[in-house]
Amino acid sequence: MLRQQDVGHRIVVRRIVGIREGRPLFSDALGELVELSETHLTLATAHGPLRVPVTQVHRAKRVPPTRRPTAAAVVALERAADEAWPAPTRGRIGDWLLRSADGWTGRANSALPIGDPDRPLAAAVDEVERWYAEQGQPAMINTPLPLAAPVGTELDARGWTARPPTLVQTAPLPLPAPSSVDTPPAAGRVDLADGQAGAAGGQAGAAGGQAGLAGGEAGLAGGQADAAAGQAGRWESVVVELATAPSEGWLAVAAGRKGGLPDAARHVLTAVDQVRFAHGYVDGTLVAVGRATVTGQGRWLGLSLIEVSPEARRQGLARQVIDELAAWGVSAGATRAFLQVEQHNNAAVALYQRLGFVTHHTYLTRVAPH
């Protein structure tokens, strides 16, 4: 059977899907194991996530990887992602990164164990625990898989828990053109990258009404769009503005989504040389936001905080925001895009699949016991 060390690896599962004439019927599934618990396992398959109860598993085993990225490719992408989400307080254990941002988001408050820690593994984890204790925070480590599988084994022995798996997905730029089914006619675009973060002007009043935009990862999960059919044309008039700084309305959305916005959060959002904040307006009301960075020596466009207000979802606005940010990335010289999405956020994963994103690797955020 499978063990925690198999998480992040390609596996095949033979599962029981029914009974016929007193005999079990079997079906095989192939994919990357992204979660394993006492009750179920989850695979990232070519057709999307598949959750299988352990009681239905007849056999399961690891199989050879196919077109798996090299360790060097995983390290390069993880470092580009770190540049795109920079924690204000940082440290090092050899090549390992230590990051703290007043507890705002797991990515900015966890160690990244890639490279050589310049000491035995157990001693490196001890140092991680000491460093976070000095920050007054729980120790957390992000473990890219399978690259950091040995770290995961050490953390298992110490009783560290794991948050839901996150998919690190990539796609070539430019992104494919939207079809008429995917999205309504293209949005108008205003680029405020000349340093006039004019999205704030006249829109600050949107902050209060937009604080409730918090939604699932990538702002796509849940919620039936409650706009009446007669208002469908309203979403065709969306105007997407790109600015080098977020407006107050934009920040209100981020605060609602992430549970507040400490000073460290503003550093994480803005302390990148090449960054753009997308503001999507309809009739002067902020209904969609997004953020993009270019890092990794100019190669990688990083997408984050794609959020659409509940009443405006399922109208193609997320796609329009992404398209404008991707066009900016191409103009800045980026050749590939990446994003990080929780594996169980099926709506977001489905959208990104239509945009050509595939899973490059996964990671688990591990949390030290109290």
Side-chain angles (χ1 to χ4, degrees), residues 34 42-51 167 343-346 349-350:
V34 295
T42 303
L43 288 80
T45 75
H47 305 290
L50 175 64
R51 190 171 187 268
L167 308 180
Q343 180 270 331
H344 58 71
N345 190 344
N346 295 332
V349 171

Side-chain angles (χ1 to χ4, degrees), residues 68-143:
R68 181 174 297 281
T70 65
V74 173
V75 169
L77 180 49
E78 284 290 331
R79 294 205 182 279
D82 175 67
E83 292 176 40
W85 203 253
T89 302
R90 304 172 70 86
R92 281 187 174 273
I93 302 173
D95 293 330
W96 287 18
L97 301 178
L98 303 170
R99 307 172 292 189
S100 174
D102 294 341
W104 194 75
T105 74
R107 278 177 286 168
N109 291 274
S110 56
L112 183 60
I114 55 177
D116 183 1
D118 197 28
R119 67 205 69 195
L121 178 56
V125 175
D126 288 341
E127 184 60 29
V128 169
E129 294 176 340
R130 282 193 293 269
W131 191 85
Y132 281 99
E134 292 174 357
Q135 309 305 315
Q137 297 178 220
M140 297 196 298
I141 298 179
N142 273 9
T143 54

Side-chain angles (χ1 to χ4, degrees), residues 230-249:
Q231 292 188 354
R234 177 173 181 244
W235 309 116
E236 298 179 11
S237 63
V238 64
V239 174
V240 177
E241 298 178 351
L242 301 186
T244 54
S247 71
E248 290 303 314

Side-chain angles (χ1 to χ4, degrees), residues 27-305:
S27 176
D28 292 341
L30 180 67
E32 182 179 280
L33 180 63
V34 295
E35 184 180 15
L36 177 64
S37 73
E38 294 180 357
T39 59
H40 69 275
L41 57 86
T42 303
L43 288 80
T45 75
H47 305 290
L50 175 64
R51 190 171 187 268
V52 181
V54 170
T55 54
Q56 295 180 6
V57 176
H58 179 64
R59 293 178 182 173
K61 66 178 182 179
R62 191 188 298 188
V63 295
T66 176
R67 294 181 298 192
R68 181 174 297 281
T70 65
V74 173
V75 169
L77 180 49
E78 284 290 331
R79 294 205 182 279
D82 175 67
E83 292 176 40
W85 203 253
T89 302
R90 304 172 70 86
R92 281 187 174 273
I93 302 173
D95 293 330
W96 287 18
L97 301 178
L98 303 170
R99 307 172 292 189
S100 174
D102 294 341
W104 194 75
T105 74
R107 278 177 286 168
N109 291 274
S110 56
L112 183 60
I114 55 177
D116 183 1
D118 197 28
R119 67 205 69 195
L121 178 56
V125 175
D126 288 341
E127 184 60 29
V128 169
E129 294 176 340
R130 282 193 293 269
W131 191 85
Y132 281 99
E134 292 174 357
Q135 309 305 315
Q137 297 178 220
M140 297 196 298
I141 298 179
N142 273 9
T143 54
L145 298 172
L147 181 66
V151 179
T153 301
E154 173 68 22
L155 301 182
D156 289 339
R158 294 174 181 237
W160 286 49
T161 58
R163 291 182 176 176
T166 297
L167 308 180
V168 181
Q169 299 194 315
T170 64
L173 292 175
L175 297 178
S179 69
S180 59
V181 176
D182 289 336
T183 184
R189 176 183 177 186
V190 179
D191 194 338
L192 301 179
D194 58 357
Q196 314 245 347
Q203 302 300 335
Q210 299 304 326
L213 301 187
E217 180 68 24
L220 301 169
Q224 294 288 331
D226 43 0
Q231 292 188 354
R234 177 173 181 244
W235 309 116
E236 298 179 11
S237 63
V238 64
V239 174
V240 177
E241 298 178 351
L242 301 186
T244 54
S247 71
E248 290 303 314
W250 197 105
L251 292 172
V253 174
R257 165 103 171 262
K258 296 293 187 181
L261 206 68
D263 289 342
R266 294 173 183 258
H267 178 97
V268 171
L269 291 171
T270 62
V272 183
D273 288 341
Q274 296 194 80
V275 61
R276 291 293 184 272
F277 297 87
H279 304 67
Y281 296 107
V282 171
D283 299 331
T285 298
L286 184 66
V287 296
V289 301
R291 174 181 178 270
T293 57
V294 173
T295 58
Q297 298 181 329
R299 180 189 183 200
W300 287 105
L301 172 76
L303 298 170
S304 60
L305 288 171

